[in-house]
Amino acid sequence: MLAMGPTAHAAAESLVVPDASVLQYGVSYDAKVYFRNLNQVDASWLGCCYNYWIDVSTDTGRAQFSAFLTAKASHSRIVFFIADKAVISPFIMVGDF
């Protein structure tokens, strides 16, 4: 029998953004994309400016940023997952499901 352990996103918190075009971001010199106004979508998330990011120096980060840009350009829904929204950290998953 195969034992299944917890996944990285099992205890994650999520933020559903119905229209990704409302999000503001900045790409920094350190290859991070910082999201600036997630608290305007859900007030329980930290406000501006360097609290949540995607690291575009990695394949995962480039895929996450691509998913975000696609959703932003098409005014589509996107979901961000983070281990703890009260802790400054990178997203662990970005998508729409």
Side-chain angles (χ1 to χ4, degrees):
M1 176 153 88
L2 180 62
M4 299 290 283
T7 62
H9 55 84
E13 298 186 64
S14 63
L15 174 65
V16 177
V17 181
D19 178 354
S21 71
V22 303
L23 296 180
Q24 299 171 345
Y25 68 95
V27 180
S28 183
Y29 68 93
D30 59 357
K32 292 179 181 171
V33 177
Y34 291 98
F35 287 80
R36 305 174 60 85
N37 64 331
L38 298 179
N39 64 315
Q40 291 176 350
V41 176
D42 181 337
S44 68
W45 285 64
L46 300 173
C48 191
C49 286
Y50 302 99
N51 297 311
Y52 312 110
W53 67 86
I54 293 172
D55 182 351
V56 293
S57 70
T58 68
D59 288 341
T60 298
R62 287 188 290 275
Q64 289 176 341
F65 191 46
S66 176
F68 163 68
L69 289 176
T70 299
K72 185 172 178 68
S74 63
H75 296 257
S76 298
R77 171 187 136 119
I78 194 150
V79 183
F80 295 93
F81 290 89
I82 201 154
D84 182 349
K85 67 184 174 189
V87 177
I88 296 170
S89 57
F91 293 113
I92 56 175
M93 188 181 306
V94 176
D96 180 22
F97 44 93

